[in-house]
Amino acid sequence: MKYFLLFTVFFHSLLYSQIDQKVDSVTYYSKSATENIKNNNYKKALSYTQKSIDYSKKTKNLEAEAIQTYNLGKIYFDLNLHNDAIELLSKSIKLFENISKAPNNKVANAYYYLSLSCTEKKNYSLAETCILKAEKIKQKLKIKDEADLIKLQKGILSKIKGNKDLASNQFNAIISEPNSDVLTNSKAEAFYQIGTIEVSNKRYNLALNYFNRALELNRKAKNLNQKSNILLALSTVYDKLLDKSNAYTYLKKHLNVKESIVLANEEKLGINDYEIFKQSQRKQEELLLEKENKEKEKADKFSKLISILAIAIISILSLLSLSLYKNNIIRNQINTLLREKNNELIAAKNKAEEASKARADFLSTVSHELRTPLNAINGITHLLLEEKPKKSQMHYLSSLKFSGNYLTNFINDILEINKIESNKVEIEYINLNLKQLLGDIQNSLKEIATINNNKFVLKIDSAIPENLIGDPTKLSQIFMNLINNALKFTNNGTVSVIARLRNYQNDTATIYFQIIDTGIGIPKDKLKTVFESFSQGSVEINRKFGGTGLGLTIVKKLVKILGGHIRLKSTVGEGSTFSFELNFKVDSKPMPYKVVSKNYDSEIFKDKKILVVEDNKINQMITQKMLVNKAMKCTILDNGEDAIQLVKNETFDMILMDVHLLGINGTIATQHIREFDTKTPILALTAISLNENREMLLSYGMTDVITKPFVAEDFYSTIAQNLIVT
């Protein structure tokens, strides 16, 4: 009987302790809040989370208080109550920082949601600060942003600030990621944001494409707010295109989704529920304030004594402060002057940046627009030269061909410089064989060497590994410019290209390059300016040797991008030496270096059916004539809509598609064709501008790209290669 009574007492004490732990603990309240969020009962979720905060304060558990304060801020964010979210998330960050200076993932998430709420409240400066802090913490903790949420928010803020190019790059980086469930929502938002940029640029057809792709992904993401925005954007674009029927349809869909969002939010938390919760919070704060006031009364008595002592100390400090007063006045005057000068410098810097951007935009636009008439000049010249002109006409046609090629190279150089200065140049890291690359360049420039009776010597260190990783395209640009200059400015002399292995360790090879000539040399007073745009030493040199004066500018910028620094030594009458040093990774599993040959058998063209989609009459005539000259059959259309219908009904060996067409453009037409025909090669015809690139065009389903103005051999070679593939 005695043991039975003891067991009963122990059982009841254990039971009551478990009940107490269940009802009054952070774990219990937090778990209850989570379950209510899952059940869409945000009224109870708010109540339980607030209770967990109060209990954390009561037990002086700072870490639990910080976590639960973050949870409450996150609930407010989910309810679109952004003022409350900003207050609670900011408070949670301060609590975490008071516990430990070391950052954690909760702090990073708090900064992220704080950035989103600040964006909603149009406090973009604070939003940008918060997202950068979130990114820095996640990088320090090596936490991968699987959904690219931080990159997406940075892109949105860049767009709001007016930096459309940077925003587009950030959104395109998200779009280029491999498809996954976790990325679906971010990709949909990225397509939508790029669409809004295209609307601001008045490229409505391109905007429609992005919005439709965003809507397609949104069906998987099931984000109602995002869907509402996309539908409204589609309605706006169709209205701009005067398609009132589609504009009204999408507007009606937008309003229906908007109504669904309102109903969903009301189900989560009614207006009265929110007010009742805030009133209970205020009562709780009043009780805490009353308690604090009582404690304050006790502290006031002690503070009076402290105040008497403080007055004495302040009196002494006042005497010391008086002696510093005059020094402070002088310092303030100096600081004011410095601030004024600093503001002047900032204003000057902003003006310089605006002028630079305006120059780049102007040169890009002019260069792009010149390509269409230049394509006509070069194309017609090529056709006339093929038709066996009279001897008296050959001189004029050769001069016209030279001038056209010169102007083409000039425009290409301008675009190359603009791309570099606009940070649109990306480094490739692919397998390359340096010995073979330099050998190919030597073979291509032998004819130029022969014209000026020069010896062209290539010296490559045998110790250089064959399987390097680098950017062969940019390396070729550097060497072609430097060697071409050396051969041009040297007569009856020697041009040497030297590559030596400087260092090789930790799978990294450091290679030292020299291009040495025995030509006319460069005066000392021109050595510093020779790398500047349009600089050629003197007017006499320009008249005698020709050229744009942009080659060395491109070389210097490309060497810098690849991580090197170019140096120049020169003596008038003796020659010049250009040198630079680059680091290359060595590939442990080498891939064979592929040389793309431009040779082709003309028989491959015979009787091939080619569809040309081009809206410019002169370009139609030139392209058709060049195709017919190689025994190909050519069909001409001037718009994308007709091209889609014709390809459905007829079979072609190849389609040459102009990118910029009236109505739907070439990229959209290609997308439609790829829905029912994935095999026929489609080659893009475009005067690639600063904002276009090969990868972007290929992403729409195009097989290859031919750049205007056409170089005849490149034109035929590209067609031949793609016909071979089929």
Side-chain angles (χ1 to χ4, degrees):
M1 187 69 179
K2 179 181 178 182
Y3 290 107
F4 176 77
L5 290 172
L6 288 171
F7 175 78
T8 304
V9 171
F10 173 77
F11 176 79
H12 279 83
S13 64
L14 179 62
L15 178 62
Y16 283 119
S17 67
Q18 288 177 339
I19 292 171
D20 182 66
Q21 184 181 10
K22 176 184 176 184
V23 173
D24 206 12
S25 70
V26 172
T27 304
Y28 170 71
Y29 290 134
S30 179
K31 185 177 179 182
S32 299
T34 303
E35 289 174 353
N36 279 287
I37 289 172
K38 290 179 181 178
N39 296 328
N40 220 27
N41 190 343
Y42 278 79
K43 177 183 176 181
K44 287 187 177 181
L46 286 170
S47 177
Y48 279 119
T49 307
Q50 185 60 53
K51 286 180 180 179
S52 67
I53 293 173
D54 295 337
Y55 187 80
S56 300
K57 290 179 179 177
K58 181 180 176 182
T59 57
K60 296 182 180 180
N61 188 339
L62 292 178
E63 183 176 3
E65 182 184 353
I67 293 171
Q68 296 307 317
T69 303
Y70 163 78
N71 290 342
L72 186 57
K74 178 62 169 59
I75 292 173
Y76 278 130
F77 173 83
D78 292 339
L79 293 170
N80 293 323
L81 299 170
H82 294 291
N83 287 329
D84 291 323
I86 290 170
E87 179 185 351
L88 270 295
L89 291 170
S90 300
K91 187 176 180 180
S92 73
I93 291 170
K94 289 181 180 178
L95 288 170
F96 278 118
E97 289 175 349
N98 289 336
I99 297 168
S100 172
K101 296 298 181 183
N104 59 58
N105 195 38
K106 285 282 186 186
V107 177
N109 290 337
Y111 273 121
Y112 170 73
Y113 289 113
L114 187 56
S115 175
L116 297 185
S117 289
C118 288
T119 301
E120 291 293 330
K121 303 306 292 183
K122 298 185 179 180
N123 188 347
Y124 303 125
S125 177
L126 181 57
E128 185 175 19
T129 301
C130 290
I131 198 65
L132 291 176
K133 286 185 178 180
E135 181 180 41
K136 185 177 180 181
I137 292 171
K138 285 191 178 284
Q139 287 176 348
K140 190 172 183 179
L141 296 174
K142 297 181 180 179
I143 297 173
K144 188 175 181 182
D145 186 11
E146 298 289 346
D148 277 344
L149 296 175
I150 291 176
K151 189 181 293 180
L152 179 64
Q153 174 67 354
K154 286 173 69 179
I156 291 170
L157 290 171
S158 296
K159 188 192 82 170
I160 290 170
K161 288 170 63 180
N163 195 338
K164 296 179 184 178
D165 290 341
L166 178 58
S168 295
N169 288 339
Q170 290 163 329
F171 295 139
N172 278 316
I174 296 172
I175 292 169
S176 64
E177 292 282 347
N179 290 330
S180 67
D181 291 341
V182 74
L183 265 174
T184 300
N185 187 69
S186 299
K187 281 196 171 188
E189 186 64 24
F191 275 116
Y192 164 73
Q193 293 293 341
I194 295 179
T196 62
I197 292 172
E198 296 301 336
V199 169
S200 67
N201 291 331
K202 297 183 179 180
R203 293 197 284 258
Y204 301 122
N205 286 321
L206 198 55
L208 277 179
N209 176 51
Y210 283 114
F211 289 146
N212 282 320
R213 295 178 78 175
L215 190 60
E216 182 180 346
L217 287 172
N218 177 264
R219 293 190 184 99
K220 298 179 182 178
K222 298 180 181 179
N223 185 331
L224 288 179
N225 286 313
Q226 187 185 77
K227 184 176 182 180
S228 173
N229 293 335
I230 296 169
L231 291 171
L232 181 59
L234 282 166
S235 174
T236 303
V237 173
Y238 277 118
D239 185 61
K240 295 285 187 183
L241 293 172
L242 303 180
D243 187 346
K244 300 299 181 181
S245 175
N246 273 325
Y248 173 77
T249 300
Y250 282 106
L251 180 60
K252 187 175 180 180
K253 289 181 180 179
H254 159 71
L255 293 174
N256 290 338
V257 174
K258 203 70 176 177
E259 185 177 352
S260 300
I261 293 170
V262 172
L263 293 174
N265 287 336
E266 288 178 355
E267 288 179 5
K268 288 182 181 178
L269 185 71
I271 297 174
N272 293 333
D273 294 336
Y274 175 71
E275 290 299 328
I276 291 169
F277 176 71
K278 297 302 286 186
Q279 285 176 7
S280 68
Q281 271 192 320
R282 284 193 287 271
K283 287 180 181 179
Q284 185 70 19
E285 289 172 358
E286 287 172 1
L287 290 172
L288 290 172
L289 184 62
E290 185 179 348
K291 184 179 178 180
E292 289 175 359
N293 287 337
K294 289 180 180 179
E295 292 177 355
K296 186 179 179 182
E297 287 177 6
K298 294 179 182 179
D300 285 344
K301 294 179 181 179
F302 179 74
S303 66
K304 286 181 181 179
L305 178 61
I306 299 297
S307 297
I308 294 170
L309 294 173
I311 290 170
I313 295 171
I314 289 170
S315 299
I316 296 170
L317 291 174
S318 297
L319 294 173
L320 294 173
S321 299
L322 187 62
S323 64
L324 296 173
Y325 176 70
K326 291 184 179 179
N327 289 336
N328 286 337
I329 292 174
I330 296 171
R331 185 180 61 186
N332 289 335
Q333 290 174 344
I334 293 172
N335 287 341
T336 301
L337 182 62
L338 288 173
R339 279 195 294 271
E340 290 175 355
K341 293 297 182 183
N342 189 48
N343 290 336
E344 290 176 4
L345 289 172
I346 290 171
K349 175 178 172 289
N350 291 337
K351 287 182 180 179
E353 289 176 349
E354 289 174 3
S356 178
K357 186 177 183 301
R359 178 185 69 100
D361 291 343
F362 171 75
L363 290 176
S364 177
T365 302
V366 170
S367 301
H368 181 260
E369 293 303 320
L370 280 174
R371 286 180 178 272
T372 299
L374 189 57
N375 185 53
I377 294 170
N378 289 357
I380 292 171
T381 303
H382 170 76
L383 294 175
L384 290 173
L385 286 169
E386 281 195 338
E387 292 181 357
K388 299 179 180 179
K390 298 176 182 178
K391 289 184 178 180
S392 60
Q393 296 172 333
M394 280 297 295
H395 173 72
Y396 301 114
L397 291 175
S398 297
S399 298
L400 186 60
K401 180 180 179 182
F402 173 82
S403 299
N405 291 337
Y406 177 88
L407 189 54
T408 301
N409 293 332
F410 185 62
I411 291 170
N412 289 338
D413 286 348
I414 290 174
L415 275 179
E416 186 67 33
I417 290 174
N418 281 350
K419 283 183 180 178
I420 295 170
E421 292 180 348
S422 302
N423 297 319
K424 293 183 179 289
V425 175
E426 295 182 359
I427 302 175
E428 287 186 311
Y429 295 98
I430 58 177
N431 189 273
L432 67 91
N433 185 316
L434 184 64
K435 298 174 184 178
Q436 193 161 0
L437 184 143
L438 291 174
D440 290 343
I441 292 173
Q442 184 185 34
N443 291 332
S444 66
L445 295 176
K446 276 184 177 179
E447 186 176 344
I448 298 175
T450 303
I451 292 172
N452 286 349
N453 196 28
N454 290 320
K455 292 181 180 178
F456 187 178
V457 180
L458 187 61
K459 299 178 182 178
I460 302 175
D461 191 343
S462 60
I464 295 175
E466 292 189 358
N467 47 319
L468 301 177
I469 296 175
D471 192 325
T473 302
K474 292 179 181 58
L475 279 174
S476 297
Q477 283 181 277
I478 292 167
F479 286 116
M480 288 292 286
N481 274 302
L482 290 175
I483 298 170
N484 195 44
N485 274 357
L487 292 170
K488 182 168 68 172
F489 293 114
T490 304
N491 280 304
N492 302 312
T494 302
V495 173
S496 303
V497 178
I498 301 171
R500 292 202 304 270
L501 182 65
R502 183 66 64 85
N503 190 22
Y504 183 18
Q505 59 182 4
N506 298 326
D507 293 328
T508 300
T510 302
I511 302 176
Y512 180 70
F513 298 99
Q514 285 182 304
I515 293 84
I516 306 170
D517 66 64
T518 58
I520 61 174
I522 303 169
K524 286 186 178 180
D525 61 335
K526 300 294 182 181
L527 291 177
K528 292 183 178 180
T529 61
V530 74
F531 289 103
E532 296 177 2
S533 299
F534 305 105
S535 175
Q536 279 198 317
S538 68
V539 176
E540 291 77 11
I541 290 175
N542 179 268
R543 289 175 179 173
K544 182 176 180 180
F545 294 96
T548 64
L550 296 173
L552 290 181
T553 305
I554 295 171
V555 166
K556 182 179 179 181
K557 293 178 183 294
L558 289 178
V559 170
K560 185 177 180 181
I561 288 172
L562 295 179
H565 175 71
I566 193 160
R567 295 175 176 82
L568 168 62
K569 292 181 181 179
S570 185
T571 304
V572 175
E574 295 182 11
S576 304
T577 299
F578 291 85
S579 61
F580 57 95
E581 193 173 272
L582 296 176
N583 292 327
F584 297 88
K585 284 289 182 183
V586 179
D587 193 354
S588 58
K589 296 179 180 179
M591 302 263 314
Y593 180 76
K594 297 180 181 179
V595 180
V596 179
S597 174
K598 292 188 178 181
N599 296 325
Y600 53 84
D601 185 356
S602 295
E603 286 297 316
I604 196 173
F605 299 131
K606 190 172 182 180
D607 295 328
K608 290 293 188 293
K609 288 180 64 178
I610 310 296
L611 172 61
V612 178
V613 187
E614 167 69 73
D615 59 359
N616 184 283
K617 297 298 182 183
I618 297 176
N619 286 342
Q620 288 178 1
M621 179 271 291
I622 293 169
T623 308
Q624 182 179 27
K625 186 67 175 175
M626 291 178 73
L627 295 173
V628 171
N629 282 354
K630 293 293 184 180
M632 286 178 268
K633 298 176 182 178
C634 181
T635 301
I636 303 289
L637 290 177
D638 62 2
N639 65 84
E641 291 88 345
D642 290 346
I644 295 168
Q645 293 302 318
L646 185 60
V647 176
K648 284 182 179 179
N649 300 322
E650 290 189 34
T651 302
F652 292 91
D653 295 299
M654 179 174 288
I655 302 170
L656 302 183
M657 179 76 71
D658 186 35
V659 172
H660 301 286
L661 296 169
L662 296 175
I664 65 171
N665 59 34
T667 55
I668 303 301
T670 299
Q671 280 187 316
H672 286 300
I673 292 171
R674 287 306 183 212
E675 291 175 1
F676 58 85
D677 182 351
T678 59
K679 294 183 178 180
T680 303
I682 303 177
L683 274 57
L685 304 179
T686 180
I688 291 180
S689 68
L690 194 62
N691 295 317
E692 293 179 347
N693 58 67
R694 177 184 175 86
E695 289 70 24
M696 183 268 284
L697 296 173
L698 296 182
S699 71
Y700 287 96
M702 291 177 167
T703 312
D704 210 335
V705 179
I706 298 177
T707 305
K708 297 177 184 178
F710 303 149
V711 176
E713 285 306 308
D714 291 343
F715 176 78
Y716 290 129
S717 177
T718 304
I719 292 175
Q721 289 168 18
N722 285 282
L723 285 173
I724 292 170
V725 169
T726 60

